[in-house]
Amino acid sequence: MTAVPLIDISPLREGGPGADLVGKSLDAACREVGFFYVSGHGVDQELIDRLQGLARSLFARPEAEKAEIAMAKAGSAWRGWFPLGGELTAGRPDEKEGIYFGTDLPADHPRVRAGTPMHGPNLYPRQPADMGETVEAYMGELAKVGQTVLSGLARGLGLEPTWFSRHLTADPLLLLRVFRYPPVPNATSGSTDPPWSVGEHTDYGLLTILAQDGQGGLEVKTGEDWVDATPRPGTFVCNLGDMLERLTGGRYRSTLHRVRNTSGGDRLSVPFFFDPSWDATVEPLPIVERPTEDDAAHRWDHLSVHGYRGTYGDYISGKVGRVFPALAAESMSHT
């Protein structure tokens, strides 16, 4: 494949003989590209549009007001707003601002009381006032999409459709991030270091489900080339994370991607990360016949996805700490 394929996942939601065919299509996309569009996902477009509208309203508010829910105020829960340049990719500041949400947990939840990283209440802005309600509804719907896609991948891998939900995502770690990318200038002729909004990277977890606006700017590496993941109405863009590569012993690859917004206006991106349960140990699937070699030397971050041993919670805590090093250092000083 030299382009990002489109797959209708409605047979997975409805059941019936078409589900196995969808599983085969997903398997092919994951082996050859690692990215795919999904249609037939069942999420109301009105909910998607409402969340994007609220996000644009929030980003347009004064910085002092947004800072009321700055990430530093959430501590190790890693929730809230960060300003332009406040997140790093491969050690370089991204040209984006954003806000992090997760499963909204009360203060008396056992993991919150224990200070478990990435667990806690969300920080919602004063305005727009209905941001919290919309985020909760959206995350609930996207969690269903995540389980549906994984059921298709299980079919494509020759596993029971419920394998992931029974063994790895019974209590998934859910992360919703909303990003605003201001426009960056076009690269000058012959430039070897164009002004990327986000440099090339892979995602850390299991599955990313992305809602993007009509501005474009997302690029995916296929072989030696880069192709555009052009926005397509009514679809989500899905891509695999490093943990799915690890699970499949390299049969599936977490694909390099990058962003450069040259549209002339702000680009809005809403990625939803559907990841393994916090306490899950991510080991190769039963179909993997032999250990996979350490691949650190060939990866963008020089960290092997096959050499890690431990729980997903420990793994993702370390990854997020690299994205927000100052925040991670502050959180560690209080433990």
Side-chain angles (χ1 to χ4, degrees):
M1 296 182 186
T2 57
V4 179
L6 171 63
I7 301 172
D8 180 358
I9 63 171
S10 57
L12 296 175
R13 297 171 45 238
E14 299 163 359
D20 286 338
L21 183 59
V22 174
K24 292 179 180 179
S25 297
L26 289 169
D27 180 66
C30 292
R31 284 186 285 108
E32 298 179 30
V33 182
F35 267 74
F36 48 92
Y37 299 92
V38 295
S39 61
H41 46 69
V43 182
D44 192 333
Q45 186 63 44
E46 187 277 332
L47 177 60
I48 301 170
D49 293 342
R50 177 158 36 105
L51 178 60
Q52 292 183 336
L54 292 170
R56 290 188 185 280
S57 175
L58 172 62
F59 288 134
R61 303 194 76 81
E63 188 154 313
E65 185 175 326
K66 291 182 284 189
E68 294 175 1
I69 56 167
M71 291 189 74
K73 299 188 177 184
S76 63
W78 280 321
R79 310 289 172 87
W81 172 82
F82 65 87
L84 189 67
E87 182 169 305
L88 306 181
T89 297
R92 297 182 61 175
D94 297 336
E95 290 296 318
K96 70 174 188 281
E97 71 168 311
I99 185 169
Y100 275 37
F101 302 105
T103 301
D104 196 32
L105 298 176
D108 61 353
H109 188 280
R111 286 183 177 165
V112 180
R113 291 204 312 267
T116 307
M118 303 178 71
H119 289 72
N122 285 327
L123 299 183
Y124 291 122
R126 288 187 289 115
Q127 295 294 332
D130 51 350
M131 175 69 83
E133 177 184 349
T134 303
V135 164
E136 295 299 318
Y138 187 82
M139 291 185 66
E141 290 298 304
L142 268 288
K144 297 176 186 176
V145 177
Q147 297 285 23
T148 298
V149 171
L150 288 181
S151 75
L153 292 181
R155 290 174 182 269
L157 291 165
L159 301 169
E160 289 294 321
T162 59
W163 192 95
F164 286 98
S165 61
R166 286 188 295 111
H167 294 284
L168 203 63
T169 60
D171 180 23
L173 182 67
L174 306 179
L175 304 171
L176 178 67
R177 301 171 182 174
V178 185
F179 298 137
R180 179 187 71 88
Y181 294 89
V184 297
N186 283 301
T188 57
S189 177
S191 172
T192 59
D193 189 21
W196 295 105
S197 304
V198 177
E200 60 183 62
H201 65 284
T202 60
D203 291 346
Y204 298 131
L206 198 63
L207 179 69
T208 304
I209 307 170
L210 171 69
Q212 53 180 341
D213 65 8
Q215 300 287 24
L218 174 62
E219 298 180 5
V220 177
K221 192 167 189 181
T222 61
E224 297 300 317
D225 299 320
W226 291 88
V227 300
D228 293 330
T230 305
R232 303 183 69 162
T235 70
F236 293 114
V237 178
C238 292
N239 67 277
L240 316 181
D242 295 343
M243 286 297 95
L244 200 48
E245 179 174 337
R246 174 176 169 76
L247 281 165
T248 60
R251 171 175 173 145
Y252 296 167
R253 300 299 298 269
S254 55
T255 304
L256 285 168
H257 51 287
R258 63 192 183 189
V259 177
R260 185 156 62 96
N261 176 23
T262 59
S263 66
D266 285 350
R267 173 183 185 262
L268 191 74
S269 170
V270 187
F272 176 81
F273 298 88
F274 188 82
D275 288 347
S277 302
W278 183 260
D279 294 329
T281 300
V282 184
E283 296 290 356
L285 295 169
I287 61 168
V288 178
E289 297 179 353
R290 60 182 183 274
T292 307
E293 294 182 1
D294 189 305
D295 61 343
H298 305 289
R299 288 182 52 82
W300 67 280
D301 55 2
H302 305 296
L303 296 172
S304 173
V305 301
H306 302 291
Y308 176 77
R309 296 293 183 272
T311 65
Y312 184 71
D314 288 340
Y315 164 84
I316 195 63
S317 293
K319 296 295 186 180
V320 174
R322 291 167 65 91
V323 173
F324 295 105
L327 189 61
E330 182 181 349
S331 297
M332 289 297 294
S333 71
H334 292 97
T335 60

